[in-house]
């Protein structure tokens, strides 16, 4: 998979980028997971996290049970004047508003919001690890990120989103839902 040139519009400094991943495989009251994710984008903006740039939606098989509903995932670079702790609280509140109930690990879910990175910050705090400790291993995270910011560099590994997407071992089946019509 080849990724385009780095996006440098709207005043986004990739060293300061706040990266949020969205995903889910249950539609809730929205008819489809994709419709739910679109509604979640609007709710994030209302909650003070408007997106500056977004990826297209990507599909991938459910894991660990590939017979479960297929996942939809995407990435947004958000405008954030909040610190990482306040952002993660906001993400949890939005998840709950969309029916997310945390319980069993890797269970089906309506909405999963993850803070992937908050600029170049690095934190090993168990309450909030930055950058996200497994994002670099997941094509359904790095692929969408590379789509909108291929030159974004992982704060610890130093590798670009494009390089990490090319070698991500998890979710190798991930691909854009409609690559001819990205939602950027």
């Amino acid at each position: 998979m080849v990724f385009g040139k780095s996006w440098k519009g709207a005043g986004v400094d990739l060293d300061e980028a706040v990266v949020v991943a969205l995903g889910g495989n249950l539609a809730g009251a929205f008819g489809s997971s994709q419709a739910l994710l679109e509604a979640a984008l609007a709710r994030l903006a209302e909650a003070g996290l408007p997106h500056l740039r977004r990826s297209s939606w990507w599909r991938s098989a459910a894991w660990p049970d590939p017979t479960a509903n297929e996942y939809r995932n995407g990435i947004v670079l958000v405008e954030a004047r909040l610190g990482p702790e306040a952002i993660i609280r906001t993400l949890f509140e939005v998840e709950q508003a969309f029916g997310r109930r945390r319980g069993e690990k890797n269970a089906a879910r309506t909405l999963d919001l993850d803070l992937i990175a908050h600029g170049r910050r690095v934190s090993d705090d168990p309450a909030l690890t930055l950058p996200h400790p497994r994002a670099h291993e997941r094509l359904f995270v790095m692929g969408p990120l590379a789509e909108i910011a291929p030159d974004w560099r992982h704060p610890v590994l130093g590798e670009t989103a494009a390089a990490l997407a090319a070698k991500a071992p998890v979710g190798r089946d991930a691909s854009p839902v409609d690559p001819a019509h990205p939602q950027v």
Side-chain angles (χ1 to χ4, degrees):
M1 196 171 289
V2 177
F3 300 99
K5 295 286 182 199
S6 179
W7 179 75
K8 299 195 187 313
V12 174
D13 176 349
L14 293 180
D15 283 336
E16 297 299 321
V18 176
V19 181
V20 175
L22 299 89
N25 71 335
L26 298 176
F30 290 88
S32 73
S33 292
Q34 205 161 306
L36 184 143
L37 292 174
E38 292 288 345
L41 279 176
R43 180 66 65 91
L44 286 172
E46 292 168 6
L49 297 172
H51 69 273
L52 300 170
R53 184 74 170 173
R54 64 176 276 199
S55 71
S56 58
W57 297 122
W58 285 49
R59 67 168 38 106
S60 62
W63 187 89
D65 179 6
T67 65
N69 292 348
E70 185 176 76
Y71 272 82
R72 290 293 183 272
N73 295 93
I75 290 287
V76 292
L77 302 181
V78 299
E79 179 180 335
R81 294 179 182 93
L82 305 171
E85 295 82 7
I87 291 174
I88 202 72
R89 281 192 302 274
T90 300
L91 297 180
F92 287 160
E93 289 168 5
V94 172
E95 282 182 346
Q96 289 177 340
F98 282 82
R100 171 75 188 267
R101 302 294 173 255
R102 291 185 178 270
E104 182 182 337
K105 188 174 182 172
N106 299 317
R109 61 201 64 150
T110 54
L111 181 61
D112 186 21
L113 299 172
D114 288 317
L115 180 56
I116 302 302
H118 193 290
R120 306 288 303 157
R121 291 182 192 212
V122 176
S123 169
D124 288 330
D125 186 327
L128 179 58
T129 303
L130 287 173
H132 185 286
R134 293 170 302 285
H136 67 281
E137 299 172 346
R138 299 171 174 174
L139 181 57
F140 52 84
V141 174
M142 288 295 119
L145 180 55
E147 186 181 89
I148 61 172
D151 294 333
W152 174 87
R153 288 200 173 272
H154 191 282
V156 174
L157 303 175
E159 295 184 70
T160 65
L164 291 167
K167 66 181 186 180
V170 178
R172 292 303 313 164
D173 67 313
S175 63
V177 171
D178 188 358
H181 299 94
Q183 301 293 311
V184 294

